[in-house]
Amino acid sequence: MSASGDESGVLTVIPLTGGAGEGGPPSLTGGAGKAPPPAPPPAMGSRVRGATLVLVLLIVGGTTSLLLLLLPPTTNGTPRGPRDFYSHAVTDIRGRRVELEAFRGSVSLVVNVASECGYTQAHYAALQKLYRELGPTHFKVLAFPCNQFGAQEPGSNADVEAFARHTQGASFPLFAKSLVLGVNAEPALRFLYDALGQEPRWNFWKFLVDAEGRPVGAWGPDTPVEELRPHIVGLVRDVILKRRSEEL
């Protein structure tokens, strides 16, 4: 406000702005002169909804992280790890790593062999005959020596190879002595057992695998190799026809 005097000497008070309102302080902006009331605190319902949203986000984020940990690792979006029998790697009779992928496209008869079993002579002879007649391009015999049944494969890998090659005349692939039962069983063999729901109970258990690495069937040592011939011939025929159609 400002003060001025008139001719009578009486001091007159002049408001700086108009519209202060009755009994109210003058307003510097020409408003009503009253300060706006403070904003009310957020309602309890809003706070609850906000806390619930945060909790949901935390749960979703944690669940997503857990699922990512449980999913199989991927490479460029493709899951790693064994998808079929041919996705495994094993060790051959001379200690070299072998990717079974090299046998994809061929039908395979996987057998746990032994050198001192009552089934040895007949099975080795029949397996070699089948391999000679149907292999090696479209059909393989894959032999895994094992000493878990009656301790009938006691020798070293070198002993097993000498016996199979020189005594039995086997020319099919031989792999290192392996465990075929228990938690430490060869993973490639374990894959077959889990897929078919059947484990070997003795030497010379035979597992037939198609050209894509899918287990087809299993037979024990009491089933002669020759009885498997129709199954094997049918799968081999499919392989040959497929290759011919792809060449056209």
Side-chain angles (χ1 to χ4, degrees):
M1 64 181 67
S2 64
S4 65
D6 58 12
E7 294 180 353
S8 63
V10 178
L11 182 66
T12 303
V13 178
I14 303 174
L16 292 176
T17 61
E22 183 178 356
S27 170
L28 297 179
T29 60
K34 292 184 180 180
M44 178 63 70
S46 298
R47 292 200 298 269
V48 171
R49 286 195 296 273
T52 302
L53 178 60
V54 172
L55 180 60
V56 169
L57 291 175
L58 289 174
I59 293 174
V60 171
T63 302
T64 302
S65 299
L66 179 59
L67 288 174
L68 291 175
L69 289 174
L70 294 176
L71 289 174
T74 62
T75 302
N76 297 327
T78 302
R80 295 196 299 268
R83 305 179 309 277
D84 51 57
F85 179 71
Y86 293 136
S87 299
H88 292 78
V90 296
T91 303
D92 75 4
I93 197 73
R94 297 189 178 183
R96 297 168 297 197
R97 179 182 173 86
V98 175
E99 298 288 342
L100 293 178
E101 189 68 32
F103 302 121
R104 187 179 297 280
S106 297
V107 179
S108 293
L109 189 62
V110 182
V111 188
N112 61 304
V113 300
S115 301
E116 300 179 3
C117 179
Y119 293 101
T120 298
Q121 185 66 36
H123 269 75
Y124 262 107
L127 290 170
Q128 178 59 27
K129 182 175 184 289
L130 199 63
Y131 184 63
R132 184 175 63 250
E133 294 174 357
L134 300 179
T137 303
H138 307 301
F139 172 68
K140 302 288 192 299
V141 173
L142 306 180
F144 288 82
C146 175
N147 194 44
Q148 285 184 289
F149 301 106
Q152 294 178 347
E153 190 72 285
S156 65
N157 283 324
D159 295 332
V160 173
E161 183 179 25
F163 173 81
R165 301 294 188 217
H166 305 309
T167 304
Q168 299 297 328
S171 60
F172 44 78
L174 288 165
F175 298 95
K177 287 181 63 174
S178 306
L179 295 178
V180 302
L181 296 178
V183 295
N184 295 319
E186 167 59 53
L189 301 180
R190 173 56 58 189
F191 175 85
L192 300 179
Y193 313 156
D194 292 343
L196 295 171
Q198 184 175 161
E199 289 187 340
R201 296 192 292 274
W202 197 246
N203 303 305
F204 294 100
W205 218 267
K206 300 169 285 292
F207 294 87
L208 185 58
V209 178
D210 73 8
E212 298 303 319
R214 297 178 295 242
V216 174
W219 298 265
D222 290 331
T223 301
V225 173
E226 278 300 313
E227 287 190 18
L228 278 57
R229 178 181 285 269
H231 303 285
I232 297 170
V233 168
L235 292 175
V236 170
R237 182 185 299 112
D238 292 342
V239 171
I240 294 173
L241 292 175
K242 180 180 179 181
R243 290 184 181 178
R244 286 179 179 174
S245 65
E246 291 173 348
E247 293 171 358
L248 295 178

